[in-house]
Amino acid sequence: MNDNKLDLTEGREKLKEIVDKIDVGMVCSFPDGSDYPHGVPMSRQEVDDQGNIWYICSADSDTHRNIEKNDKVSLFYADAKNYTFLSINGTATLLRDQARIDKYWNKFMESWFEKGKEDPNIRLLRVDPIDAHYWDSDSSKIGTFFTMVKNMVTGDHSDLGKEGDLNV
């Protein structure tokens, strides 16, 4: 794999490309006094022009309670089928912005918020990435497998894809 450090614009574009492609990632917050993170799958609503990732959550959730006490979060996105992975560490901010809630609202959310988009428990979660690292294969799973086998047989260490830090 090649080590890359993408510049700010390329880093944000790569982050957006991967997050938009995978959509659901694990959002890990850190419970007070625990040695282990609390992770939940969440669908991103948007990756904005600054590279911030937006989600909708409930004020009644463990994630919300954890972030109120500790704004550090880690995000993990995985598309094992295409060998694309992304890890992000960042700072979380909890907001209540009705215009943005209206923008993100869809029928699926009604199953989480029975009172509709005016539900007082709806919160926006904005993650401002501090650092991110990606792994991305340029070929399919089968292509990557054959490259790995070829490398084992020949001793050649051909490129299996790309990896690198994202300047976000």
Side-chain angles (χ1 to χ4, degrees):
M1 296 230 170
N2 294 331
D3 286 324
N4 295 319
K5 177 78 172 182
L6 301 179
D7 71 25
L8 185 60
T9 301
E10 292 172 323
R12 286 180 178 167
E13 287 172 2
K14 187 68 170 176
L15 181 137
K16 180 174 177 37
E17 172 193 321
I18 293 173
V19 171
D20 283 349
K21 181 171 90 172
I22 298 173
D23 180 33
V24 176
M26 292 300 293
V27 176
C28 298
S29 57
F30 298 90
D32 203 22
S34 176
D35 291 335
Y36 302 103
H38 168 77
V40 295
M42 293 181 76
S43 177
R44 63 91 189 99
Q45 299 305 311
E46 173 183 27
V47 179
D48 67 22
D49 292 338
Q50 290 76 43
N52 300 316
I53 306 166
W54 292 83
Y55 304 90
I56 289 183
C57 70
S58 172
D60 290 334
S61 68
D62 289 334
T63 299
H64 187 277
R65 284 187 287 277
N66 294 342
I67 291 170
E68 283 183 312
K69 295 178 181 172
N70 180 352
D71 65 356
K72 304 291 186 262
V73 294
S74 294
L75 312 176
F76 300 99
Y77 287 87
D79 178 1
K81 180 179 171 189
N82 293 305
Y83 281 87
T84 302
F85 305 92
L86 176 64
S87 70
I88 302 166
N89 293 310
T91 304
T93 303
L94 297 165
L95 307 157
R96 174 80 189 177
D97 175 345
Q98 193 61 48
R100 201 173 276 271
I101 292 168
D102 291 344
K103 175 182 174 182
Y104 298 151
W105 190 259
N106 61 54
K107 281 289 202 186
F108 177 72
M109 291 181 197
E110 289 177 8
S111 61
W112 294 101
F113 301 100
E114 295 174 4
K115 296 177 185 173
K117 60 184 173 181
E118 283 78 29
D119 190 315
N121 286 319
I122 296 176
R123 295 294 183 277
L124 297 169
L125 167 58
R126 183 187 72 215
V127 175
D128 306 308
I130 294 171
D131 63 66
H133 193 87
Y134 75 99
W135 299 263
D136 194 7
S137 174
D138 292 331
S139 65
S140 67
K141 188 175 188 177
I142 195 92
T144 300
F145 173 75
F146 282 120
T147 301
M148 290 170 64
V149 170
K150 181 187 92 165
N151 289 354
M152 288 184 337
V153 171
T154 65
D156 179 22
H157 294 287
S158 295
D159 186 21
L160 291 173
K162 297 176 186 157
E163 78 165 286
D165 294 322
L166 300 178
N167 186 358
V168 290

